[in-house]
Amino acid sequence: RVLFRSGNFDYARNVVHFYGYDVPLNSLTKETTAQRFNYFSGNAELMSHYSKPERYNHDVKLSYYNLFDSYKATENNIKATGFVQTAINKETLKVNAAVDYYNYRNEFDTVNNTIITVNPNFIASGEQYKASIGATASVDVFSSSKFYFYPNVELSYNVFEDIIIPYAGATGGLQKNSFKTLTDNNPFVLSQLTMKNSNTKYNLYGGLKGT
């Protein structure tokens, strides 16, 4: 048995300046148009690796961040993710799970949100095919709790010596929209935000890959 442990701490500071004001230029300064984001984060990971595939291997990650800006908006996030994996009759059973909680506060409001996700997968493979069959269940604990179920399936077939491999799949999921995810995409949004998570009921895809 081998155990891997790791962890790290990060800090980032980003500054942008608002623009497009319809006022005399001499009435503005860099200080009055500035928006600053300060980001602190840390995470730790514990992973096992058994040489025998029928043993239960795991990978558990715990992370935290704090984000605040110049307009009294702040967000704290605690997230735990991980998986357990084992072999059954030479095939693989893998169960992923996550708990994602954030607290967002501004001058006028406070928002708490938790997303709990469980994703079991059965992975089988042969000389020419590979199949991953599973499903994802998510609970969105916002003002009220909502349950979601999504497919998680992918099939591929090696037609000719790794040169032609058609594949197809179906997935879905609940995407967290938080102060951090929104300001990462657009740092010019207002600090007083009303947030709602994005629900992708299903996403169908397919293609051709090879060497």
Side-chain angles (χ1 to χ4, degrees):
R1 178 186 182 185
V2 180
L3 281 177
F4 298 95
R5 300 179 181 90
S6 65
N8 68 283
F9 175 80
D10 295 303
Y11 169 72
R13 181 177 184 271
N14 296 315
V15 180
V16 297
H17 287 272
F18 297 115
Y19 60 93
Y21 292 91
D22 188 17
V23 295
L25 291 177
N26 57 8
S27 66
L28 295 175
T29 66
K30 286 187 176 181
E31 186 62 30
T32 58
T33 64
Q35 168 65 301
R36 298 178 182 88
F37 297 100
N38 288 278
Y39 173 75
F40 297 87
S41 71
N43 64 71
E45 181 178 8
L46 178 64
M47 179 173 59
S48 70
H49 179 73
Y50 289 100
S51 57
K52 295 182 179 180
E54 63 271 14
R55 298 293 301 270
Y56 287 90
N57 281 306
H58 68 270
D59 186 358
V60 179
K61 299 177 183 178
L62 181 65
S63 62
Y64 166 80
Y65 73 75
N66 170 262
L67 174 67
F68 63 93
D69 72 353
S70 300
Y71 295 88
K72 299 181 180 180
T74 182
E75 182 171 85
N76 290 282
N77 175 261
I78 300 175
K79 185 176 183 179
T81 62
F83 70 80
V84 177
Q85 178 175 305
T86 188
I88 300 176
N89 295 327
K90 298 183 180 181
E91 309 300 348
T92 301
L93 175 64
K94 184 176 182 181
V95 180
N96 304 288
V99 179
D100 193 351
Y101 165 82
Y102 75 82
N103 168 267
Y104 163 72
R105 291 179 294 168
N106 58 45
E107 288 185 284
F108 309 104
D109 197 13
T110 299
V111 174
N112 294 287
N113 183 216
T114 304
I115 297 176
I116 303 171
T117 303
V118 179
N119 167 232
N121 290 280
F122 183 74
I123 304 168
S125 60
E127 291 185 2
Q128 291 182 283
Y129 76 92
K130 184 175 182 180
S132 176
I133 302 173
T136 301
S138 295
V139 183
D140 187 3
V141 185
F142 212 163
S143 56
S144 61
S145 298
K146 294 183 179 180
F147 294 82
Y148 301 91
F149 296 94
Y150 308 98
N152 191 3
V153 179
E154 181 170 296
L155 305 171
S156 64
Y157 189 81
N158 190 347
V159 176
F160 180 71
E161 296 182 351
D162 293 331
I163 297 175
I164 302 174
I165 307 175
Y167 65 92
T171 61
L174 189 65
Q175 176 185 316
K176 179 182 72 176
N177 293 318
S178 65
F179 186 51
K180 183 179 186 304
T181 61
L182 294 174
T183 54
D184 282 349
N185 285 302
N186 181 7
F188 299 101
V189 298
L190 295 177
S191 298
Q192 294 75 37
L193 296 170
T194 300
M195 288 172 286
K196 185 178 180 181
N197 296 322
S198 298
N199 175 28
T200 302
K201 294 181 179 180
Y202 59 87
N203 177 33
L204 305 177
Y205 63 91
L208 196 65
K209 60 184 178 180
T211 58

